[in-house]
Amino acid sequence: MARQSDTGFSRRQFLRQAALGGVLLCGWNMAAAAQLRGLRVGRHGQGVRLVFDLNRRLTAAPVIRSVGEVLHIELPGIQHWLGRPVVPALGPLQGGAEMNESAAGVVLRLPLREAVRWHSFSLGPGGGASHRLVLDLLPVAGTAVESSRSHPVAGAGRPIVVCLDPGHGGHDPGAIGARGTREKDVVLDVALSLARLIRSTPGMRLVMSRDTDRYVPLMDRMHLGLAQRADLFVSIHADAFPERTVSGSTVWALSQTGATSAAARWLARTQNAADPLLGDVQSGVHDLMLNEVLINMTQTAAMNAAAAAADMMIRGLAGVEDLHNAAVQHANFVVLRAPDVPSMLVETAFISNPQEEQRLRDPAFRQLLARTMHDAVLAHFVNAPPADSAWSATRHVLGKAENLADVADRYGLSVEALRLANNLPHGEGQPGVHLRVPIMGA
Ligand SMILES: [Zn+2]
């Protein structure tokens, strides 16, 4: 929904821009309608280079915008496109393109796999080549694309930001099962399924530390949650242990003692580095003692939220997988240390256990894990919606002719999420019971 309005906005902007430059554009149109002869795409450094071949020089600058998961390239004054654009899946490009032509020019929309920054320049003819517009796209490190569907509508509060962090990747396979199953692959698949569910949840915005098989340093993962002001950071892993019979899920949250000292040390180290990722925690603070107090305050609130979310996660997982530890475990993992970001680490199952490795290899089980984790995330925010977010909670009194499925449907939840949020593990709930339900922003 928001994507369409974003697109409409961009279109209006474009047309307005064209109108503002009307005299120039009209005169120019009459005299010299530029033709787009083709588009070439290739790797360039860390990113990709797009080369638009033109029969003459562009007289108006291209307008380039990134709208959610799509890069809009507006080429004013271009009259024709000879041939269809062919855009391969390469680097940050998802592959494929959508093109619209109008009197004002050509608009090309390229779906993205990750957020990009760009740089464009023009080249005159030379060496047998025509006029060219060159556009370089570079991935913004550690930032995956956000869901444009979950952008808030005006006045509806900000979206809840969920940061997913599939463990390992690239040269780091994580744990490897007896049959060769790699942790980095199964956790990425679970995370991508979960990402799809979060993207389709109104009032939520998704951030991912990686959505492809690439290595992301631990500090970068932690920084991402901080920079994006995540309301919840979920690191997803599969466990391993030398003893092959060990099995079950574990949910970790940061320990209080480990957190305060580690976060304080980290903040102390970075306090003078003018790190824009630090945000409010850092502003105007140059005193180490004061830092520690602030860290304790923000970290305590974040850890309470993390504990509540982790508890919801473990109750959810109990429905689909044996628990290795029935309670939330506490440890001092780097990825959990971002001040002010409620963070948890989910060990989905033991890849070192042959039965569990078999389950992790099953796409249906990975889907089930993703759905269960989504239910737990929803249930957590039904119980604790961030104050300034697009979500708020209300009560629904169960009617005589209603069942939980009706209520879940009405409020955009699954029955499992509704049960988790209301601590109703079994049964239908008595008529008259007060159910906690969300009002979700669009
Ligand atoms: Zn791991």
Side-chain angles (χ1 to χ4, degrees), residues 316 320 371-372 375-376 379 408 413-422 424:
V320 299
R371 276 203 308 277
T372 304
D375 291 336
L413 299 173
S414 65
V415 174
E416 290 73 18
L418 184 64
R419 283 183 193 283
L420 272 176
N422 289 279
L424 286 172

Side-chain angles (χ1 to χ4, degrees), residues 167-168 174-175 183 236-239 347:
H168 312 281
E183 178 185 358
I236 305 171
H237 288 252
D239 224 335
E347 296 278 12

Side-chain angles (χ1 to χ4, degrees), residues 4 96 118 220 241 332 339 416:
Q4 283 165 358
W118 54 83
D220 290 3
F241 195 70
N332 189 3
E416 290 73 18

